[in-house]
Amino acid sequence: KLKKGLTPGTVLILLAGRFRGSRVVFLKQLDSGLLLATGPYSVNGVPLRRVNQRYCIATSTKVDVSGADFAAIGDATLAREKTKKRGGKDAEGMFAAEAAKAGPSEERKACQKKVDEAISKGLAADVKQYLKTRFALSSKMYPHELKF
């Protein structure tokens, strides 16, 4: 079930996680029930992410996402690769060199670039600035009195 006011192109404010306070563009609901959202990465540095509905606020701002093709993106595309657990109680195993950091795959980078191009080309300068700005509460700002 999708939250009221969530349509593709709606700007969301993330409330938890690494990108809390960031404004992102909602793309679609995934099969798992999570939301697919992007910064776009080229605008505010938020990559394609799965977001729980409970940890976002929908705003009244809308962005045109009609040119973007994100139908192929699913939970499997965004899932992390499973790492094999290292066993062994010998001295070398305990102090083994760290494995190379696994960044995003080439497929995911290409997907990100394709979606970003389509969304960011249709953004006006003021909307780009709005997406870059982080959301924060200051004194005398009460969340229950704000209109998003």
Side-chain angles (χ1 to χ4, degrees), residues 117-130:
E117 260 177 31
I119 294 174
S120 57
K121 77 172 183 223
L123 294 177
D126 60 335
V127 177
K128 275 189 183 177
Q129 191 58 47
Y130 175 70

Side-chain angles (χ1 to χ4, degrees), residues 4 15 18 20 45 58 71 73 86 102 123 133 142:
K4 192 179 79 173
L15 300 175
R18 178 175 171 205
R20 67 181 153 277
I73 304 169
R86 293 189 299 263
L123 294 177
T133 313
Y142 305 111

Side-chain angles (χ1 to χ4, degrees), residues 2-147:
L2 204 55
K3 255 186 185 180
K4 192 179 79 173
L6 279 181
T7 55
T10 303
V11 174
L12 307 174
I13 299 171
L14 301 182
L15 300 175
R18 178 175 171 205
F19 298 102
R20 67 181 153 277
S22 298
R23 294 181 168 105
V24 296
V25 179
F26 166 65
L27 299 176
K28 70 174 186 175
Q29 186 172 25
L30 299 168
D31 296 332
S32 63
L34 297 174
L35 309 179
L36 177 65
T38 184
Y41 189 78
S42 58
V43 175
N44 63 5
V46 181
L48 280 166
R49 286 182 68 82
R50 294 182 289 182
V51 180
N52 194 325
Q53 294 184 61
R54 293 210 177 247
Y55 302 113
C56 61
I57 299 172
T59 65
S60 56
T61 311
K62 302 269 190 259
V63 171
D64 180 37
V65 292
S66 57
D69 178 38
F70 42 83
I73 304 169
D75 286 306
T77 315
L78 299 171
R80 286 201 186 120
E81 288 100 32
K82 298 269 186 214
T83 55
K84 198 177 90 174
K85 292 195 176 173
R86 293 189 299 263
K89 300 193 191 264
D90 59 335
E92 280 99 40
M94 200 158 112
F95 300 108
E98 287 293 315
K101 289 268 186 188
S105 65
E106 292 303 316
E107 174 200 0
R108 194 159 168 182
K109 284 180 187 174
C111 210
Q112 178 75 57
K113 201 168 267 184
K114 187 175 71 170
V115 171
D116 272 12
E117 260 177 31
I119 294 174
S120 57
K121 77 172 183 223
L123 294 177
D126 60 335
V127 177
K128 275 189 183 177
Q129 191 58 47
Y130 175 70
L131 288 171
K132 282 181 190 174
T133 313
R134 290 182 70 104
F135 173 79
L137 291 172
S138 56
S139 63
K140 304 288 183 199
M141 274 178 75
Y142 305 111
H144 59 279
E145 292 177 352
L146 295 177
K147 183 180 183 317

